[in-house]
Amino acid sequence: MRTTELVSGFRQSAPYVNAHRGKTFVVMLGGEAIMQPGIRSIINDVALLNSLGIKVVLVYGARPQINQALRNAGLEPQYHNRIRVTDDDSFRLIKQVAGALQLDITARLSMSLSNTPMQGAQINVVSGNFVIAQPLGVDEGVDYFHSGKVRRIDTAGIRRQLDNNGIVLMGPIAASVTGESFNLTAEEIATQVAIRLKADKMIGFNDVGGIVGENGEITAELMPNMAEHILYELEQQEDHCVGTAAFLRAAVTACRAGVPRCHLVSYAEDGSLLQELFSRDGIGTQIVTESAEKLRRAVISDIGGILDLIRPLEQQGLLVRRSREQLEMEIDYFTLIERDGLVIGCAALYPFPEENVGEFACLAVHPDYRDADRGTTLLKSVIQQARQRKYDRLFALTTRSIHWFLEQGFELVTVDDLPAQKKQLYNYQRRSKILALDL
């Protein structure tokens, strides 16, 4: 029987379902996303995250809706240093807009019709005074009036609701200890909630599905420093997307405060949130925490570190012996993980261009660093390199790590499936198992 796309996709997503279960995600739904025709699908997907055991805090914004409401009332939106000035007349409208959106989102999350993806779902949507605000006051002679910032967050109260399998819904209006209300940005609320909850992810949306690189493609991953550089360049453009810039600023702050990953995905492409979270390659841009470890291509000065790493495995018969001279000639094939100047992991991609395939070889990780799945990190890097070269297949030979390769999606093949040159060099006494991954 032929395996359907549904079955294949379900199987491929299973590891990510298991990995995300019990984790805390802060999802920032900007006003731009809420205006889109696909907002129903986005909210359905957020509800699906909850159904899969993910703890979800949903923070919504209303920037374009507020601006439109102000203009309809004959009021021009006022800003100072990119922060809204919220006078009395503006605030009355802002509270109306924010309140209406909260009711609309709650209603959508409560939907459970038989012909919708949320059939049978019983989602408890909780809103409340989880954020305590304080006024921004006066800056450079400009009074912000009812514009505020986060003073305190009731993390214990939020966790209680998340532990009860509820979705916590937060908007841009928050109360203060004096009983007043203030207008905050969704980005600040989402950032501070993510930081103080020690969330595993913060997720935002824009029109293009991430950060577009120089080649016109979505940049898969950014460190905070690079994201900050892109943010600076973005803000120099008069017609830049305010929502994208705001999310980048929030993501840089969150990552530097300990949130491991911030994702930016498309609100225009149906299912982009699920594709980003439950597929191997993702679809958007991740801003990730800077690390003392670096994944990079090897250079000739790394020969000593690579030899120190692979010699013990060669002596155990786990790796084929390579001389220093051979390594010097093949150094361009190697990728390594370096930590504080120490080579703690390496792997190689040997090319067989005639058959348009590559060999994943010489995988080694320092014994002190084998508890963080660095082998998988190296494999993903080699797979990416192979795909950039447009190889059809990646193969590997192993005597001990068969199950690990099978877990990574490889399949057992025969000697006859090897490239001609590799087939001639195959050691029948060593009897290595041959595994291949279609790219």
Side-chain angles (χ1 to χ4, degrees), residues 160-317:
R160 279 196 297 272
Q161 302 304 326
L162 295 177
D163 289 343
N164 287 331
N165 202 34
I167 291 180
V168 174
L169 178 63
M170 297 181 176
I173 308 298
S176 71
V177 293
T178 60
E180 301 172 272
S181 296
F182 290 93
N183 177 34
L184 285 69
T185 66
E187 290 83 10
E188 187 199 5
I189 293 175
T191 302
Q192 293 305 316
V193 168
I195 291 170
R196 300 184 196 193
L197 278 181
K198 296 181 172 57
D200 300 280
K201 294 182 185 292
M202 185 171 76
I203 302 165
F205 297 82
N206 74 351
D207 56 340
V208 295
I211 301 301
V212 180
E214 294 179 358
N215 59 359
E217 296 181 352
I218 297 298
T219 303
E221 189 172 279
L222 291 170
M223 290 293 189
N225 286 348
M226 190 60 194
E228 196 168 45
H229 176 71
I230 292 173
L231 173 63
Y232 174 79
E233 292 184 337
L234 195 62
E235 290 178 336
Q236 306 311 303
Q237 305 170 15
E238 291 187 7
D239 60 344
H240 74 275
C241 177
V242 175
T244 299
F247 179 81
L248 271 181
R249 194 179 304 112
V252 169
T253 301
C255 279
R256 286 179 173 162
V259 178
R261 294 184 181 275
C262 297
H263 300 255
L264 185 58
V265 297
S266 172
Y267 56 60
E269 184 173 348
D270 186 31
S272 61
L273 175 61
L274 301 182
Q275 288 186 68
E276 174 71 4
L277 296 175
F278 298 102
S279 67
R280 179 178 296 173
D281 298 323
I283 196 174
T285 296
Q286 293 184 64
I287 296 89
V288 299
T289 310
E290 288 184 294
S291 171
E293 294 183 14
K294 295 179 181 178
L295 178 70
R296 61 175 176 83
R297 301 295 290 272
V299 295
I300 198 70
S301 59
D302 295 316
I303 294 290
I306 293 174
L307 284 171
D308 290 342
L309 197 62
I310 66 176
R311 282 291 182 254
L313 299 178
E314 291 175 351
Q315 292 168 1
Q316 296 173 41

Side-chain angles (χ1 to χ4, degrees), residues 252-393:
V252 169
T253 301
C255 279
R256 286 179 173 162
V259 178
R261 294 184 181 275
C262 297
H263 300 255
L264 185 58
V265 297
S266 172
Y267 56 60
E269 184 173 348
D270 186 31
S272 61
L273 175 61
L274 301 182
Q275 288 186 68
E276 174 71 4
L277 296 175
F278 298 102
S279 67
R280 179 178 296 173
D281 298 323
I283 196 174
T285 296
Q286 293 184 64
I287 296 89
V288 299
T289 310
E290 288 184 294
S291 171
E293 294 183 14
K294 295 179 181 178
L295 178 70
R296 61 175 176 83
R297 301 295 290 272
V299 295
I300 198 70
S301 59
D302 295 316
I303 294 290
I306 293 174
L307 284 171
D308 290 342
L309 197 62
I310 66 176
R311 282 291 182 254
L313 299 178
E314 291 175 351
Q315 292 168 1
Q316 296 173 41
L318 299 179
L319 290 179
V320 175
R321 180 172 291 276
R322 290 169 175 82
S323 66
R324 175 180 287 271
E325 291 74 21
Q326 183 181 356
L327 272 178
E328 288 177 355
M329 290 187 294
E330 298 174 349
I331 192 63
D332 290 339
Y333 300 156
F334 278 77
T335 297
L336 55 81
I337 298 176
E338 178 192 54
R339 184 179 180 90
D340 297 328
L342 173 69
V343 178
I344 64 169
C346 71
L349 172 61
Y350 286 88
F352 292 87
E354 293 82 5
E355 288 89 349
N356 204 36
V357 299
E359 180 186 9
F360 177 71
C362 204
L363 174 64
V365 178
H366 191 284
D368 293 342
Y369 295 94
R370 290 178 183 166
D371 58 349
D373 218 8
R374 291 176 176 87
T376 303
T377 299
L378 287 162
L379 174 60
K380 287 180 178 178
S381 176
V382 169
I383 289 173
Q384 185 177 13
Q385 293 171 43
R387 284 179 173 154
Q388 288 172 349
R389 298 180 189 183
K390 302 191 183 304
Y391 287 165
D392 297 325
R393 180 179 264 202

Side-chain angles (χ1 to χ4, degrees), residues 135-155:
L136 285 173
V138 180
D139 178 40
E140 298 177 343
V142 176
D143 191 340
Y144 285 111
F145 297 103
H146 300 284
S147 292
K149 61 181 180 179
V150 173
R151 177 180 183 180
R152 188 170 68 245
I153 293 175
D154 180 11
T155 54

